[in-house]
Amino acid sequence: MTTTGPHPRTLGRATAHRLPPALRPALDAGALRTRVLHIGLGAFHRAHQALYTENAALRSGEPWGITAIAPRSVDTVRALRAQDCLYTLTEHHPEGPRPRVLSALTGALAMTEDAGRIDALLTDPEVTVVTLTVTEKGYHARGGTLDRTDPAIAADLAATADPAPARTVIGRLAAGLAARMRTTGAPISVVSCDNMAGNGAVLGAVVRAFTEAGGWPDRHTVLERMASAVTFPGTVVDRIVPATTPADRAAAAAALGLADALPVTAEPYRQWVLQDTFAAPRPPWEHDGALFVADPAPYQLTKLRLLNGSHSALAYLGLAAGATTIDGALATDWGEPLVRALCAEVAGTLPPGGPDPAAYTEALVTRFRNPAIGHRLRQIGSDGSLKIPERWLPALRTLRAAGTATPALELALAGWVLTTRAGAGTTDPAATTLAAQHLPDDPTGTVRALLTALGAPDLAGDQELTAAVAARLPALRAGRVEI
């Protein structure tokens, strides 16, 4: 795969001088060096970690550049290379859009096709940070450790003695870290930026489990070296980044006077909280407002249960009511009351040391109300079988055990139940299994079966809960959300 360079009317280093002065890249990409490797070349990374890294490099004068790896989309890699890794980030403020061309990316690689270059970077002592945005399913975790029964993981484990590169992100990362431990042994920090409770701990557990189960004769030596040279800091990342639309591309071209195949858009708000356990030098992200803490768990749980939890609830209930976007759902007579009710319901399950739940809720309402974002409910409602066990069920267990009423969570669960029907329109890796749980003329049995399929037999056995969720279904089928 080669870089072809930009077309005369396309964004790129050779055409950047044509941009309006206020939109030109603030950094000279040619002066940066790859010191961060990122896995997951999606819109969220380009609107979040890449921006923090560019601003940190700009304000510190240190040449922190990022080479980003696409696990699957070769087309994204080609498009980004054709633009010399430049792209537009547009922040959608209520008063209007604010575009900016970013240049933090020093390279774009495809995980399989560019395996040799990825290996070289993973063993390069100058690369001291790896970050990931691969979504929950990219970790192949179950019960906090590696799911060795997963066919993709099983195939990678069986092939560890072969020269062919692993096809999963975890297998590829484990192989690269093993090679680093065998060669330079240089310290490195591997940073999960995905929405999971204890994301750093989960990432560390699956990487170590893969290494231990692999066929490398020196795996125990590798693990011993990793124990002192590799850390897995936990993080909290927050920014609403909708999927890019043709209208977004047209708007970017109008602002730039050049075509940009890969623009991203985002809300003004962003947050990054990181556990301060880095093993090696890192970008000074604090120069751009990142917060380094000893324990990110209170921040993680606040975000998962308040923001992500209410986001999912708005998605499923909004789809039932005929809404299409978050701001559209919030504009209904039930949207804002739902967010406030759910946040108030789960606030008591949060540990001390995090953001104030009441203030956090007020900020959420303001963010969700922004009409310029257009975050689509079907995008937010995807992969529910992976998200709900983290976002809703732990709080539900805590509240039920304490004898506390859970009407908002019951309503949210009823919305999700509707979207698990065959042909409902949301995507989920367990869609076939979930659809098979629907029992004719037995809504309570359906709720029990779905909770069991989610790995929550304890909640499935709560007769009061399953009956309450089932009782919500008729109104939702009629398009009514009753708080």
Side-chain angles (χ1 to χ4, degrees):
M1 199 181 298
T2 58
T3 301
T4 58
H7 184 276
R9 295 192 181 92
T10 298
L11 177 63
R13 291 175 67 181
T15 57
H17 68 281
R18 301 183 187 178
L19 294 170
L23 302 186
R24 291 174 190 168
L27 280 174
D28 175 9
L32 300 176
R33 303 197 305 272
T34 295
R35 301 178 68 182
V36 177
L37 195 61
H38 179 79
I39 305 175
L41 185 48
F44 185 81
H45 167 69
R46 287 181 284 130
H48 189 275
Q49 299 96 43
L51 175 61
Y52 275 96
T53 303
E54 174 154 326
N55 287 342
L58 182 66
R59 293 167 186 171
S60 69
E62 300 173 8
W64 289 96
I66 304 168
T67 288
I69 301 167
R72 290 173 298 277
S73 179
V74 176
D75 289 343
T76 300
V77 173
R78 290 182 178 137
L80 200 54
R81 287 182 177 180
Q83 298 181 179
D84 301 316
C85 295
L86 301 181
Y87 63 92
T88 312
L89 167 63
T90 299
E91 292 183 352
H92 282 296
H93 295 256
E95 62 272 19
R98 297 181 189 173
R100 167 183 175 182
V101 173
L102 299 187
S103 57
L105 300 186
T106 52
L109 303 175
M111 194 170 78
T112 301
E113 289 82 350
D114 298 311
R117 293 175 66 186
I118 294 169
D119 284 342
L121 287 169
L122 281 169
T123 55
D124 183 351
E126 191 167 65
V127 173
T128 57
V129 177
V130 177
T131 54
L132 294 88
T133 50
V134 295
T135 75
E136 294 96 330
K137 60 188 172 186
Y139 292 79
H140 302 276
R142 185 172 63 178
T145 190
L146 185 70
D147 182 5
R148 293 176 58 181
T149 66
D150 183 293
I153 289 294
D156 275 359
L157 286 171
T160 49
D162 298 333
R167 304 192 69 85
T168 65
V169 167
I170 297 305
R172 199 79 202 84
L173 180 59
L177 292 174
R180 188 181 183 101
M181 296 302 99
R182 294 185 189 109
T183 54
T184 65
I188 190 168
S189 307
V190 187
V191 186
S192 170
C193 299
D194 285 295
N195 287 318
M196 301 185 299
N199 53 9
V202 171
L203 177 57
V206 295
V207 168
R208 286 188 288 266
F210 188 97
T211 305
E212 187 171 9
W216 301 309
D218 63 345
R219 60 188 181 276
H220 296 300
T221 300
V222 166
L223 285 166
E224 288 176 5
R225 292 175 180 171
M226 283 177 58
S228 59
V230 184
T231 58
F232 298 89
T235 67
V236 181
V237 295
D238 191 3
R239 187 169 220 189
I240 296 172
V241 181
T244 301
T245 66
D248 295 328
R249 282 185 279 273
L256 271 58
L258 297 168
D260 180 355
L262 291 170
V264 292
T265 66
E267 66 169 332
Y269 179 91
R270 57 190 167 97
Q271 181 191 49
W272 200 1
V273 181
L274 302 101
Q275 187 178 15
D276 198 4
T277 55
F278 282 72
R282 57 163 178 80
W285 291 309
E286 63 270 26
H287 288 354
D288 196 36
L291 180 64
F292 288 84
V293 299
D295 181 11
Y299 295 88
Q300 286 177 334
L301 287 176
T302 299
K303 179 176 182 290
L304 279 168
R305 296 184 183 180
L306 300 192
L307 186 147
N308 299 127
S310 57
H311 229 190
S312 290
L314 282 172
Y316 299 124
L317 296 170
L319 289 170
T324 58
T325 62
I326 282 291
D327 63 289
L330 201 76
T332 63
D333 59 357
W334 55 265
E336 184 173 332
L338 170 72
V339 172
R340 294 187 183 281
L342 190 144
C343 290
E345 190 168 290
V346 304
T349 71
L350 299 173
D356 174 64
Y360 195 92
T361 300
E362 290 302 320
L364 283 184
V365 169
T366 299
R367 294 169 64 188
F368 291 168
R369 192 182 286 134
N370 187 345
I373 301 301
H375 204 178
R376 301 191 68 80
L377 301 182
R378 292 198 184 278
Q379 178 191 2
I380 299 162
S382 65
D383 300 339
S385 66
L386 299 174
K387 295 174 179 176
I388 286 172
E390 293 233 331
R391 299 181 179 188
W392 295 346
L393 301 193
L396 190 60
R397 288 188 176 100
T398 299
L399 293 169
R400 303 293 297 180
T404 304
T406 55
L409 286 169
E410 291 160 11
L411 177 60
L413 270 172
W416 172 74
V417 167
L418 283 187
T419 65
T420 60
R421 298 169 300 171
T426 54
T427 59
D428 196 293
T432 301
T433 298
L434 297 175
Q437 308 310 310
H438 283 256
L439 306 174
D441 303 318
D442 187 1
T444 301
T446 295
V447 174
R448 282 198 301 266
L450 285 167
L451 286 170
T452 300
L454 280 185
D458 56 325
L459 295 174
D462 184 335
Q463 295 182 3
E464 182 181 335
L465 171 66
T466 55
V469 173
R472 297 281 196 169
L473 295 173
L476 291 178
R477 290 194 188 99
R480 300 193 313 273
V481 180
E482 299 173 346
I483 300 297

